[in-house]
Every structure is written in C-alpha cells, then in structure tokens.
C-alpha cells in the first residue's frame, strides 16, 4: 500500500458526508418543488450526477427534468423551464457560470456547490452548499455522490440503507481481476446510467484506464463486441434479462452487485484508486486535468 492520498481520505468519508447531505436534502431547501419543469446542468462528473437526478425525478413523477452538459444546454423560451439546477463542486467552471449568466432574470436558478465562496454563488438565485463534501483531490468522489445523496433525499428517498451499504462497499475485498483488467465497460438503466458514465470517467481520470459506458440495453447494439477475456462488464442496478449470459459467453467478467447503485460506485472509486497505485500514478493530480476548467474570454 502506498501513502494515503486525498482521494482515499475523501472517498472513505462518503458515508458521513452522505448522511449530512441527506439531512439537508430532506429539510427545507430551495430545490425545485414537485411539478416544476427543470433543466439540470453540470460538467464532467457533475453532469453525470445531473443525469442521475433527472432520471430519478422524472421517473418519480415529480416533473419534466432534463440533464445537459452545461456547454450543450437548450434553455430557450420554447422549452418552458421553471427552474435550472446547476451542480458544480468548484463554483468556477466556466460553462456552468455561462449558463447561470445566460438565464439570469429569466429562469430561477439554484446551484448545488462545494465551495460557496465562488462566482457561482453571486450568479445564482439560490444555492445549496455542501462545504463538508468539498475535496482536495482533483478527482471528485464525495462531492458528486453527496450532491446526489442530497438530491435523492429531496426527492423523498431514505438514504439510511445506501449509507450503510456504502460502509460495506468500503470494506469489500477488491478482486485482483479488477486491478489487472485491460478494459471496463460500465452499464446502467434509468438513473444508474449517469452512475455508469461517472464510473467510466473516474477510472479514466484516476488511473488512465480504458473504459466505456452505455445504457444497459444499448450495450447489445454493438458495444458488446469489445467484451473479451481479461475485460470487465460492470452493471449498476438490476440486470436486463439475458445480459449476464451474453456477457459470460464473451469470456468477459460480468459484475453486478445486489446493493444500492450509488454505494456500488464507492467500490469503483476504490478500484480506480488501486489501479492508479499499481500503475504508479498520483490520483490527486491526474494527467491533463485541473480542479475546474476555467476558459478564457
Ligand atoms: C467539473 C469537472 C470535473 C472534472 C475536472 C474538471 O467540475 O468537469 O468533473 O473531474 O476536474 O471539472 P465542477 O464544475 O464540479 O467543479
């Protein structure tokens, strides 16, 4: 085992930060009420949490909810949004700030952020700050999952089960096959597709691993051609019928745990960290990445 990294300390604190975030989410918050038409925006990890929230909210019957990468958001009058929710750990990501500026005075905004002392606060009508979940590592773990814990609690979910399952995921043994695997494909359905995208990004960022992600049913439409011995197909949530057998037939390892999918993401955080370690990489300072992307002009 190498020295302790910020990433390790931060990912290990997730049960605690989820509890704190869920408490805020289940209380009085400026997050959109049931029935509102909502656009959710973010970049990178924060975009993927936006995808999960959007699927959960809309499938719960709480209102139309669309997730956009902040740079690709359609927020014109015709779409009739009642609220924009922005997610950003840093509060400085340029594309998110541009969205907040663009809709200012036209669509009410609420930003979920890690560092409240940033431009996102003054550009937002309302904020929900999670400073206890902010991070030193460039690679996000606990801010993103705590933001989603907050949003799940706001939608009426009890996070007690997921919190204890995250504790269990922190104690699970890591399989050697996961540390050696040549390639990972992450799959999900509904809200867990955002988690699959995030798992794939985490492994790329922290350990420069070759990863892909797809909606589970889409996987059969071509991407399964990549599955082979020495590679892993990891599904978040319930498996569509027949998928496990199809993956097994390729020789790839099929992984699907019977636990809350957000807690299963904690296990992927650990795999990403260990793969970084065995490759001699510093997951706190990944290649070509900074804490937040701030563009000129
Ligand atoms: C978003 C983000 C991160 C990514 C990278 C650059 O940051 O895209 O997800 O890992 O470090 O920034 P933020 O808007 O949530 O601060």
């Amino acid at each position: 085992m190498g020295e302790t990294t910020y990433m390790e300390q931060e990912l290990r604190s997730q049960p605690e930060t989820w509890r704190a975030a869920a408490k805020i989410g289940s209380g009085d918050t400026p997050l959109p009420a049931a029935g509102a038409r909502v656009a959710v925006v973010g970049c990178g990890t924060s975009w993927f949490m936006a995808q999960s929230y959007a699927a959960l909210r809309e499938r719960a019957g709480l209102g139309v909810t669309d997730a956009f990468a902040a740079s690709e958001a359609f927020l014109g009058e015709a779409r009739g949004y009642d609220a924009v929710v922005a997610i950003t750990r840093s509060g400085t990501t340029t594309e998110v700030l541009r969205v907040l500026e663009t809709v200012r005075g036209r669509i009410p905004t609420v930003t979920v952020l890690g560092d409240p002392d940033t431009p996102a606060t003054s550009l937002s009508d309302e904020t929900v700050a999670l400073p206890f979940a902010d991070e030193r590592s460039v690679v996000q773990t606990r801010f993103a999952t705590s933001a989603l814990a907050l949003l799940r609690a706001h939608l009426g979910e009890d996070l007690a089960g997921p919190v204890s399952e995250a504790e269990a995921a922190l104690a699970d043994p890591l399989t050697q096959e996961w540390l050696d695997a040549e390639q990972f494909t992450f799959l999900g359905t509904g809200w867990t597709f955002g988690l699959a995208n995030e798992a794939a990004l985490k492994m790329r960022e922290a350990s420069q691993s070759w990863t892909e992600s797809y909606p589970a049913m889409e996987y059969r439409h071509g991407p399964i051609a990549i599955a082979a011995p020495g590679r892993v197909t990891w599904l978040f949530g319930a498996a569509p019928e027949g998928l496990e057998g199809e993956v097994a037939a390729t020789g790839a390892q099929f992984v699907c745990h019977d636990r809350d999918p957000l807690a299963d993401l904690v296990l992927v955080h650990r795999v990403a960290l260990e793969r970084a370690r065995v490759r001699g990489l510093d997951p706190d300072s990944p290649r070509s990445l900074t804490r937040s992307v701030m563009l000129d002009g």
Side-chain angles (χ1 to χ4, degrees):
M1 289 276 153
E3 281 168 28
T4 305
T5 56
Y6 289 124
M7 183 183 174
E8 174 161 26
Q9 293 165 26
E10 289 158 359
L11 78 84
R12 291 206 159 271
S13 69
Q14 288 178 104
E16 204 180 299
T17 61
W18 293 9
R19 243 183 244 118
K23 196 165 173 213
I24 297 173
S26 58
D28 206 10
T29 77
L31 291 164
R37 278 179 83 89
V38 175
V40 200
V41 301
C43 295
T45 292
S46 295
W47 172 34
F48 300 140
M49 296 303 105
Q51 291 177 337
S52 289
Y53 168 54
L56 281 170
R57 186 173 183 275
E58 185 147 340
R59 282 178 193 214
L62 295 172
V64 167
T65 316
D66 299 317
F68 298 105
S71 55
E72 298 288 344
F74 290 93
L75 300 169
E77 302 278 359
R79 300 189 78 85
Y81 290 121
D82 302 310
V84 169
V85 174
I87 303 174
T88 173
R89 177 181 69 174
S90 63
T92 56
T93 298
T94 311
E95 296 96 309
V96 173
L97 300 182
R98 280 186 188 149
V99 164
L100 293 170
E101 269 164 2
T102 305
V103 303
R104 202 149 201 216
R106 181 165 66 83
I107 311 174
T109 56
V110 48
T111 299
V112 177
L113 79 180
D115 183 351
D117 195 18
T118 52
T121 295
S122 45
L123 289 171
S124 306
D125 295 315
E126 304 277 0
T127 57
V128 180
L130 306 175
F132 53 86
D134 201 359
E135 295 164 295
R136 302 279 295 270
S137 175
V138 166
V139 172
Q140 287 198 32
T141 54
R142 75 178 179 194
F143 173 74
T145 57
S146 300
L148 193 53
L150 164 98
L151 294 163
R152 289 175 74 182
H154 175 70
L155 298 178
E157 278 193 62
D158 180 356
L159 269 284
V163 165
S164 40
E165 289 178 4
E167 271 156 1
L170 287 172
D172 259 18
L174 296 185
T175 304
Q176 188 62 39
E177 248 179 297
W178 300 342
L179 305 187
D180 297 339
E182 180 190 29
Q183 190 270 344
F184 283 76
T185 299
F186 294 98
L187 306 176
T189 54
W191 74 284
T192 69
F193 175 49
L195 301 184
N197 287 335
E198 168 56 8
L201 179 67
K202 207 75 323 170
M203 296 271 279
R204 288 193 284 266
E205 288 183 327
S207 67
Q208 295 172 21
S209 300
W210 170 21
T211 61
E212 305 192 3
S213 53
Y214 303 95
M217 296 297 280
E218 273 299 305
Y219 183 57
R220 302 186 228 230
H221 295 277
I224 194 169
I226 293 300
R231 299 181 181 177
V232 175
T233 300
W234 188 307
L235 176 78
F236 291 96
E241 209 185 319
L243 187 64
E244 179 168 4
E246 286 174 50
V247 173
T250 70
Q253 189 194 10
F254 183 75
V255 179
C256 181
H257 296 124
D258 184 19
R259 64 157 62 103
D260 181 78
L262 190 59
D264 209 36
L265 182 61
V266 171
L267 188 59
V268 175
H269 291 157
R270 292 180 54 217
V271 175
L273 176 70
E274 281 311 310
R275 284 175 66 93
R277 273 188 184 142
V278 297
R279 284 160 184 73
L281 302 170
D282 175 4
D284 290 338
S285 306
R287 184 172 69 181
S288 317
L289 294 177
T290 49
R291 174 174 156 85
S292 114
V293 174
M294 290 187 267
L295 307 171
D296 295 330

